[in-house]
């Protein structure tokens, strides 16, 4: 009996050792592939068609084919897609760095338009896609899907890929487009997740006005509470670092505290069922405005590059991950008997994505232009086309939501669910590769760069952004950044209405300089104490 038990234990240990060794082999291959993506991406840096996300996706697909052939058609992936891995570990550094590096003036200058596109536009797109699949899918033999599944499909495919947007749009060359499309993408992702969770939690068998009002109230609560949590986390980190002067003893502690506070804000949002995407994005904005200026000079350089590096690696990891998982044979086995149906479903979904996005980009751009006094601030038709096209890409958010809705273990034996999983992967791959490849050439064709640049953009080593874009019209900026140049106060309410950007910005800077910066620090407001962080004088 004892011998049998010892043999059983030895067998289990041997199996565990084999499993551990297999995991080590998989991780080694994955790290090697990440290195290959970086090297190949560098070699293709000047290519007008390719970008790093598409490169990683194609390398993932090729690797999946090799593994599929080597395993005799049994497996094609090193790691199985996990929505927990995506939402908890990979997405936070990408969104935080976007907020940390974003041009705040451009973002807040277009905040109303961004919110209009990201919130209202997502609802319109979700409604169009849900209505379309309800009318069309019932005529196709794809299995049993109920009204909750149709609405969930709308939320899944209304989610744009903000990660890929970072790759195909340039913040320095097209600041307005980058601000609008990426800002919309952040709000869009949050809205899509909130919509998806609401669809899963509400009883959709009897929709009435009270449920609609409850949903609207829940959305605004999540938006405001998530934003407030991110702001509070950013201000708290700024206050702690400013008061304790942690950098005089260890710059490592400053860097670690900033990273951990940013990640803590995201996890707290998830803990309280808020939108971690919005929370960590606004935490990044607040940290770049206050906390970053309170740390030592070496910590500024370190954090700037550390956040960018973590974001960069996470982006490559996601697309490599999705590319390899796309060829998982278990998903495709259940739809192999009806490839025509799967292709039809994918084509319908892709068409609805294009129609759904057009349904809000052009009408909402028209409404936004009505409120703009200056022609330079209006979104021209060519820019609207680029905004429509750049937001057509679908990515890991759509895949993660699809897995959540249609499977619990990476694949499913229900034909309808299997078709939706494989169709989602097909739409993500096609939209990322085809639309991503054509975005930069489309921008060059519709919006060619001027022959001689007369922009007043200037580099500033005292800010985490590489370029400073003026918020005010006619290249006017704040008092601090113009060396004390004053902007006249409006003489009347009419002048306030005609120059709202100047006035609102001035009021905020007055409040910021009088109350916020003396308490939380920031550029030009860090007191000199022996051993404490010092701030260069504004140039």
């Amino acid at each position: 009996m004892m011998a049998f038990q010892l043999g059983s234990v030895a067998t289990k240990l041997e199996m565990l050792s084999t499993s551990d060794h297999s995991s080590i082999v998989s991780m080694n291959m994955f790290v090697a592939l990440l290195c290959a993506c970086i090297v190949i991406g560098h070699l293709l840096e000047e290519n007008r068609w390719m970008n790093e996300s598409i490169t990683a996706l194609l390398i993932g697909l090729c690797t999946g084919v090799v593994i599929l052939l080597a395993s005799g058609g049994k497996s094609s992936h090193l790691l199985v897609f996990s929505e927990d891995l995506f939402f908890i570990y990979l997405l936070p550094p990408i969104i935080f760095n976007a907020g940390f590096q974003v041009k705040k003036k451009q973002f807040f200058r277009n905040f109303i338009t961004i919110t209009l596109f990201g919130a209202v536009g997502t609802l319109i797109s979700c409604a169009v896609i849900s209505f379309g699949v309800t009318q069309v899918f019932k005529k196709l033999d794809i299995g049993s899907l109920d009204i909750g599944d149709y609405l969930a499909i709308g939320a899944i495919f209304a989610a744009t890929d903000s990660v890929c947007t970072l790759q195909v749009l340039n913040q320095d060359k097209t600041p307005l487009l980058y601000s609008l499309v990426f800002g919309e993408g952040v709000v869009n992702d949050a809205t899509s997740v909130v919509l998806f969770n609401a669809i899963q939690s509400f009883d959709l068998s009897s929709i009435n006005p009270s449920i609609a009002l409850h949903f609207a109230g829940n959305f605004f609560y999540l938006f405001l509470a998530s934003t407030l949590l991110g702001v509070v986390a950013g201000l708290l980190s700024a206050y702690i670092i400013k008061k304790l002067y942690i950098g005089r003893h260890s710059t490592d502690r400053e860097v670690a505290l900033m990273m951990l506070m940013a990640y803590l804000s995201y996890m707290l949002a998830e803990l309280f069922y808020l939108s971690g995407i919005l929370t960590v994005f606004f935490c990044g904005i607040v940290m770049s405005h206050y906390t970053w200026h309170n740390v030592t000079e070496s910590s500024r350089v370190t954090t700037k590059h550390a956040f960018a590096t973590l974001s960069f690696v996470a982006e490559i990891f996601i697309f490599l991950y999705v590319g390899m998982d796309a060829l998982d044979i278990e998903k495709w086995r259940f739809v192999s008997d009806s490839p025509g149906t799967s292709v039809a479903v994918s084509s319908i979904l892709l068409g609805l994505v294009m129609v759904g996005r057009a349904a809000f980009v052009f009408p909402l751009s028209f409404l936004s232009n009505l409120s703009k006094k200056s022609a330079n601030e209006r979104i021209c038709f060519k820019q609207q086309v680029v905004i429509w096209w750049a937001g057509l890409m679908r990515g890991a958010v759509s895949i993660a939501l699809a897995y959540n809705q249609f499977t619990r273990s990476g694949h499913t034996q229900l034909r309808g669910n299997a078709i939706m999983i494989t169709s989602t992967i097909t739409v993500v791959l096609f939209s990322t590769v085809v639309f991503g490849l054509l975005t930069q050439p489309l921008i060059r064709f519709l919006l060619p760069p001027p022959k001689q640049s007369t922009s007043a953009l200037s580099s500033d080593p005292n800010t985490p952004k590489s370029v400073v874009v003026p918020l005010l019209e006619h290249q006017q900026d704040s008092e601090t950044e113009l060396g004390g140049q004053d902007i006249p106060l409006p003489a009347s309410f009419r002048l306030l209405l005609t120059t709202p950007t100047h006035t609102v910005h001035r009021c905020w800077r007055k409040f910021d300089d009088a109350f916020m910066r003396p308490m939380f620090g920031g550029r030009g407001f860090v007191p000199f104490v022996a051993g404490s962080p010092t701030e260069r004088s504004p140039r």
Side-chain angles (χ1 to χ4, degrees):
M1 185 68 178
M2 181 66 69
F4 175 76
Q5 290 178 346
L6 290 175
S8 177
V9 171
T11 303
K12 290 181 179 179
L13 289 175
E14 185 178 353
M15 292 175 61
L16 182 62
S17 176
T18 303
S19 176
D20 290 342
H21 181 72
S22 177
S23 298
I24 292 173
V25 171
S26 297
M27 290 308 299
N28 272 279
M29 291 183 63
F30 216 96
V31 172
L33 289 173
L34 287 174
C35 294
C37 289
I38 293 174
V39 173
I40 295 175
H42 171 73
L43 296 176
L44 297 176
E45 187 173 5
E46 301 301 326
N47 191 290
R48 60 179 295 182
W49 300 88
M50 298 292 290
N51 59 62
E52 280 145 352
S53 60
I54 297 175
T55 302
L57 194 61
L58 294 177
I59 290 177
L61 284 170
C62 294
T63 304
V65 171
V66 173
I67 296 174
L68 191 64
L69 295 175
S71 64
K74 296 179 180 179
S75 176
S76 65
H77 55 73
L78 299 174
L79 299 172
V80 179
F81 188 90
S82 167
E83 67 175 283
D84 289 338
L85 174 65
F86 171 71
F87 279 110
I88 296 178
Y89 300 109
L90 298 179
L91 191 60
I94 296 173
I95 302 300
F96 173 79
N97 184 65
F100 193 73
Q101 303 281 356
V102 75
K103 292 178 172 65
K104 296 184 290 293
K105 296 175 183 179
Q106 275 286 348
F107 179 81
F108 286 106
R109 180 181 186 179
N110 301 294
F111 186 73
I112 294 178
T113 304
I114 288 171
T115 305
L116 196 65
F117 281 1
V120 179
T122 303
L123 293 174
I124 295 174
S125 180
C126 178
V128 170
I129 296 173
S130 297
F131 178 78
V133 296
T134 302
Q135 299 300 313
V136 178
F137 282 9
K138 289 181 179 179
K139 301 178 182 179
L140 298 175
D141 181 23
I142 62 173
S144 58
L145 298 178
D146 56 26
I147 183 64
D149 292 325
Y150 292 132
L151 292 176
I153 291 171
I156 290 168
F157 288 98
T160 62
D161 186 9
S162 56
V163 177
C164 200
T165 302
L166 291 171
Q167 299 287 340
V168 299
L169 291 180
N170 190 294
Q171 186 170 200
D172 300 332
K173 296 179 181 178
T174 54
L176 175 61
L177 290 177
Y178 183 95
S179 175
L180 289 177
V181 177
F182 173 70
E184 175 220 333
V186 173
V187 180
N188 169 281
D189 286 345
T191 306
S192 298
V193 173
V194 171
L195 267 174
F196 183 81
N197 292 335
I199 290 168
Q200 287 191 323
S201 60
F202 282 103
D203 181 12
L204 300 173
S205 58
S206 58
I207 301 177
N208 53 58
S210 63
I211 292 180
L213 289 175
H214 184 219
F215 173 78
N218 186 47
F219 170 75
F220 285 112
Y221 161 74
L222 288 174
F223 185 89
L224 296 175
S226 301
T227 302
L228 182 61
L229 179 59
V231 171
V232 169
L235 292 177
L236 182 60
S237 68
Y239 185 80
I240 292 174
I241 291 178
K242 179 176 180 290
K243 289 297 182 183
L244 298 183
Y245 304 124
I246 296 175
R248 65 182 171 184
H249 296 299
S250 172
T251 57
D252 296 338
R253 293 173 185 171
E254 287 183 323
V255 177
L257 185 62
M258 287 184 68
M259 289 184 173
L260 292 175
M261 287 292 291
Y263 191 68
L264 179 63
S265 70
Y266 183 89
M267 295 310 297
L268 284 175
E270 295 298 315
L271 178 65
F272 295 115
Y273 302 100
L274 302 175
S275 172
I277 296 173
L278 278 178
T279 296
V280 77
F281 179 73
F282 280 97
C283 180
I285 290 178
V286 173
M287 278 193 175
S288 71
H289 190 65
Y290 297 108
T291 313
W292 190 79
H293 295 281
N294 295 343
V295 301
T296 58
E297 189 69 27
S298 59
S299 293
R300 293 178 195 170
V301 176
T302 302
T303 53
K304 174 183 175 181
H305 293 289
F307 293 145
T309 301
L310 288 173
S311 173
F312 175 73
V313 173
E315 290 172 17
I316 298 178
F317 193 101
I318 287 175
F319 286 101
L320 189 62
Y321 196 48
V322 170
M324 284 197 299
D325 189 67
L327 292 178
D328 182 11
I329 196 65
E330 294 177 351
K331 300 181 183 67
W332 297 94
R333 183 178 294 125
F334 300 103
V335 298
S336 59
D337 60 333
S338 55
T341 302
S342 183
V343 171
V345 170
S346 301
S347 302
I348 291 168
L349 288 172
L350 195 61
L352 288 174
V353 165
M354 300 177 73
V355 173
R357 184 159 182 82
F360 77 84
V361 167
F362 298 105
L364 294 184
S365 296
F366 174 77
L367 293 177
S368 177
N369 289 339
L370 292 179
S371 62
K372 302 294 178 62
K373 300 291 184 181
S374 172
N376 294 330
E377 294 181 342
R378 294 173 184 168
I379 308 172
C380 68
F381 180 74
K382 291 182 178 180
Q383 290 175 324
Q384 293 175 31
V385 172
V386 173
I387 292 172
W388 168 73
W389 182 270
L392 290 175
M393 289 171 284
R394 297 298 179 262
V397 173
S398 295
I399 290 181
L401 294 181
Y403 278 30
N404 186 287
Q405 176 69 20
F406 297 108
T407 183
R408 290 292 182 270
S409 59
H411 65 279
T412 178
Q413 296 184 8
L414 297 176
R415 184 169 178 274
N417 290 359
I419 288 178
M420 289 312 307
I421 292 291
T422 54
S423 297
T424 302
I425 293 173
T426 302
V427 170
V428 168
L429 292 177
F430 183 87
S431 62
T432 301
V433 174
V434 176
F435 297 153
L437 282 173
L438 296 177
T439 298
Q440 292 185 13
L442 181 67
I443 293 176
R444 288 188 176 93
F445 175 72
L446 294 178
L447 304 169
K451 294 182 180 180
Q452 293 183 351
S453 177
T454 58
S455 175
L457 303 180
S458 61
S459 298
D460 188 349
N462 286 331
T463 168
K465 306 176 295 298
S466 60
V467 178
V468 178
V469 177
L471 168 66
L472 307 182
E473 296 175 3
H474 311 301
Q475 306 301 327
Q476 292 179 346
D477 208 340
S478 63
E479 301 95 327
T480 302
E481 289 159 357
L482 287 178
Q485 179 181 344
D486 196 17
I487 300 174
L489 284 171
S492 65
F493 183 71
R494 180 179 180 183
L495 186 57
L496 171 64
L497 294 178
T498 57
T499 57
T501 306
H502 294 67
T503 309
V504 172
H505 183 266
R506 179 185 176 87
C507 291
W508 160 248
R509 290 308 295 260
K510 289 293 185 182
F511 174 77
D512 195 28
D513 294 347
F515 298 101
M516 299 297 289
R517 295 194 187 194
M519 178 177 294
F520 299 105
R523 185 177 182 184
F525 283 81
V526 181
F528 176 80
V529 177
S532 69
T534 56
E535 180 72 27
R536 295 178 181 177
S537 300
R539 296 178 180 180

